[in-house]
């Protein structure tokens, strides 16, 4: 993450950033760091669901995000992740969903920095790849900078070198996960202050960032920017970022889709339904003439039996004419 080539990343998002999504994002962005959906340590260690670690070599650099609060279990799960070839293990201390709270992990752990520190130490002792943490700026009534400061000091003591900070606090009661992504106000200044006071820490900012201009502004204050829903709903923004920051020529949207073809064909051959892949492609033509028709063709046809590459060709046809 210290590499200037990994200044930009795409946030781990439940039900969104699966392996098909990550393969697609990698075609748009050679340099962005990608993250898995959150995988619970219990699913890996107790559930033996090692299929959750599946990914393709083309995804690298790619990080595995884990959720959990048992140091021994997280260490074992981190080992599985490192053995599977992930470039980084990230601990989720920011997700506010009910599902997460009932399992005593996610954002509620910001109230227990010592436990998080123990988890990080155990994971770092178990693997040689970097162990990072993704957190919020606070949780519920923890609204003082001092709380975030103490949490950060504890992470540094545990050996954390990279902290990804979603610049909103999380309300664990009264707000849904969706509302937690939108209602608590963004406080970028708090994250900037954190970087100033802990210059040795690589600080990556997350939350509400949607444009190349905004990314440039943040990079003047912190080390990295993590894009969330913008990268999913308008994935071509990743190609724009590559061009702006790294000078990578802007690919056409059609060329990106054509590069998807070998992957789609291979997945169909192994029994993957087309709908599981095309749902991630729907936003590719966001804002372009004909985008609604492109989405409609894929949405209406991908779930049908026998749906294959020809459906994607059919969705592209009017886009070619509009170009």
């Amino acid at each position: 993450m210290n590499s200037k080539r990994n200044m930009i990343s795409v946030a781990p998002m439940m039900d969104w950033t699966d392996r098909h999504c990550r393969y697609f994002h990698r075609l748009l962005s050679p340099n962005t760091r990608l993250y898995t959906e959150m995988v619970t340590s219990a699913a890996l260690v107790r559930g033996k669901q090692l299929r959750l670690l599946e990914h393709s070599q083309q995804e690298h650099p790619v990080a595995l995000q884990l959720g959990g609060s048992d140091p021994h279990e997280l260490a074992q799960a981190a080992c599985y992740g490192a053995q599977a070839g992930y470039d980084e293990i990230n601990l989720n201390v920011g997700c506010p969903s009910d599902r997460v709270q009932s399992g005593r992990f996610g954002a509620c752990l910001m109230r227990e920095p010592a436990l998080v520190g123990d988890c990080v130490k155990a994971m770092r002792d178990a693997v040689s790849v970097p162990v990072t943490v993704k957190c919020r700026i606070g949780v519920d009534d923890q609204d003082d900078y001092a709380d975030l400061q103490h949490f950060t000091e504890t992470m540094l003591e545990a050996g954390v070198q990279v902290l990804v900070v979603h610049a909103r606090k999380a309300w664990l009661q009264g707000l849904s996960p969706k509302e937690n992504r939108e209602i608590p106000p963004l406080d970028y200044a708090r994250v900037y202050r954190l970087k100033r006071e802990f210059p040795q820490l690589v600080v990556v900012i997350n939350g509400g960032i949607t444009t190349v201009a905004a990314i440039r502004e943040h990079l003047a204050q912190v080390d990295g920017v993590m894009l969330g829903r913008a990268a999913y709903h308008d994935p071509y923004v990743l190609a724009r970022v590559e061009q702006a920051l790294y000078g990578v020529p802007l690919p056409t949207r059609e060329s990106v889709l054509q590069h998807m073809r070998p992957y789609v064909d291979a997945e169909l051959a192994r029994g993957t339904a087309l709908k599981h892949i095309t749902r991630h492609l729907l936003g590719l033509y966001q804002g372009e003439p004909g985008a609604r028709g492109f989405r409609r063709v894929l949405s209406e046809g991908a779930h049908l039996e026998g749906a294959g590459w020809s459906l994607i060709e059919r969705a592209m046809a009017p886009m070619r004419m509009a170009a």
Side-chain angles (χ1 to χ4, degrees), residues 85-116:
Y86 284 95
D87 303 295
E88 171 192 332
I89 309 296
N90 178 265
L91 180 62
N92 182 315
V93 193
C95 181
S97 78
D98 294 340
R99 194 169 28 163
V100 163
Q101 291 180 60
S102 63
R104 197 187 175 205
F105 53 92
C108 61
L109 283 176
M110 289 204 71
R111 295 197 189 108
E112 301 183 74
L115 175 59
V116 178

Side-chain angles (χ1 to χ4, degrees), residues 45-56:
V45 176
R46 284 181 261 162
K48 299 295 182 187
Q49 296 183 50
L50 297 184
R51 60 175 179 77
L52 296 172
L53 298 177
E54 186 179 355
H55 66 286
S56 69

